[in-house]
Amino acid sequence: KQKYDAYDERIGAIVGTFEEPVDCIVEQGTSGSWTYRKWNSGAAECWGTVTGTLAPSEAESGITGLRVFSGSVAFPTGLFVDIPSVTYNCRVGDGYSFPADAETSTITHFNWTALSTAGTGYSECAIAAKASGMWK
């Protein structure tokens, strides 16, 4: 870390000493439904909400009353060099729903699975996610 003196020209004196930030954002923006940041340390993160309408991928989950819904959305291009850690929450239809698996994501795509009490037809969904990993 480098130290910098803050000099006030009005009084002709050093008024404080500041250290260079340990880490800082080197790039940030939006890409599709994602907002992302790249940090000087190599850390990368993105977050957003994917919305849409879909039918269950499986009629029954093996748990009475719950159906399996799943989908995939691309991360911002080139954001991660390894599979990121992903956490997410979901809303599928008007009933109960909860995340079932985020371990199938890749370097380029967030793949999600949700269990829901939604019916067998098409249901509106909203998947809110945050992914953290490295960009370099």
Side-chain angles (χ1 to χ4, degrees):
K1 288 194 262 186
Q2 189 169 350
K3 292 186 178 186
Y4 298 93
D5 290 329
Y7 183 80
D8 189 330
E9 293 179 6
R10 296 173 295 170
I11 59 173
I14 294 174
V15 293
T17 301
F18 303 94
E19 290 186 1
E20 182 178 352
V22 174
D23 203 359
C24 61
I25 297 169
V26 295
E27 183 181 333
Q28 63 184 357
T30 58
S31 177
S33 57
W34 299 106
T35 299
Y36 69 92
R37 288 190 290 215
K38 289 182 176 180
W39 294 82
N40 187 50
S41 63
E45 61 186 341
C46 66
W47 61 92
T49 301
V50 179
T51 59
T53 304
L54 68 147
S57 55
E58 297 176 30
E60 286 294 329
S61 65
I63 302 171
T64 303
L66 293 177
R67 287 166 193 78
V68 178
F69 291 80
S70 58
S72 181
V73 62
F75 289 125
T77 303
L79 186 60
F80 298 114
V81 294
D82 202 357
I83 298 172
S85 172
V86 181
T87 58
Y88 68 101
N89 203 344
C90 59
R91 180 185 50 79
V92 180
D94 293 331
Y96 295 102
S97 52
F98 53 91
D101 187 14
E103 298 302 319
T104 59
S105 292
T106 68
I107 293 172
T108 60
H109 283 79
F110 164 50
N111 302 318
W112 58 271
T113 302
L115 297 178
S116 176
T117 58
T120 57
Y122 281 87
S123 297
E124 290 188 18
C125 68
I127 311 299
K130 182 176 192 289
S132 301
M134 301 300 286
W135 69 274
K136 65 177 181 177

